[in-house]
Amino acid sequence: MTFVVTENCIKCKFTDCVDVCPVDCFREGPNFLVIDPDECIDCTLCEPECPANAIFAEDELPEGQEVFLQLNAQLAKQWPAITEVKPPLPDADEWNGKEPKIDLLEK
Ligand code: SF4
Ligand code: F3S
C-alpha cells in the first residue's frame, strides 16, 4: 500500500505534509508534490495535515483520482526529495478546491 497525492495539491503545494513524514518520501515538482510508493510506510500521518485534503490511501482514492496512483509512482522517479516545509505557492488559497486542475500539472 501507499498514500497518494491527488489533484487538489496542484497549484497549492502547501507542504505541511512534508513536515510529518518519518521516511522523507515526498518528491517535489514545480507545482505539485508526489509520494514515492517505494518509500511510503503507510503511517497515515500526512493525510490529516494537508490543508487541501489532497492525500489519500491508495485504496481510498476518490472517484476520478485513480490516475494519480500511477502519476505519483512515475513522477517520484523524476523529481527530487523535499524534506522541509516551504511557503505555499502564490494564490494557493484561491486554487484550493478548484477543479479540474490536472491539465495545469507541470512536469
Ligand atoms: Fe510519509 Fe506516512 Fe504519508 Fe507515507 S503515509 S507519505 S510514510 S507521512
Ligand atoms: Fe500538496 Fe497538501 Fe502536501 S497541498 S504539498 S499534499 S500539504
Side-chain angles (χ1 to χ4, degrees), residues 9-77:
C9 176
I10 297 168
K11 289 186 78 69
C12 292
K13 209 163 86 168
F14 286 105
T15 79
D16 303 58
C17 53
V18 170
D19 203 28
V20 297
C21 182
V23 291
D24 292 342
C25 57
F26 284 90
R27 307 288 178 259
E28 183 182 21
N31 66 1
F32 186 56
L33 256 56
V34 294
I35 291 168
D36 186 337
D38 294 334
E39 304 290 332
C40 177
I41 57 169
D42 305 324
C43 73
T44 78
L45 289 176
C46 58
E47 184 178 5
E49 294 302 317
C50 176
N53 294 320
I55 303 176
F56 297 88
E58 71 172 301
D59 59 358
E60 292 177 353
L61 283 167
E63 199 179 336
Q65 298 293 301
E66 298 86 354
V67 66
F68 284 91
L69 178 60
Q70 167 83 28
L71 271 173
N72 276 236
Q74 176 195 327
L75 295 171
K77 305 234 175 308

Side-chain angles (χ1 to χ4, degrees), residues 87-101:
L89 291 175
D91 305 323
D93 287 333
E94 284 174 38
W95 283 100
N96 187 356
K98 286 219 173 110
E99 57 181 23
K101 295 196 269 187

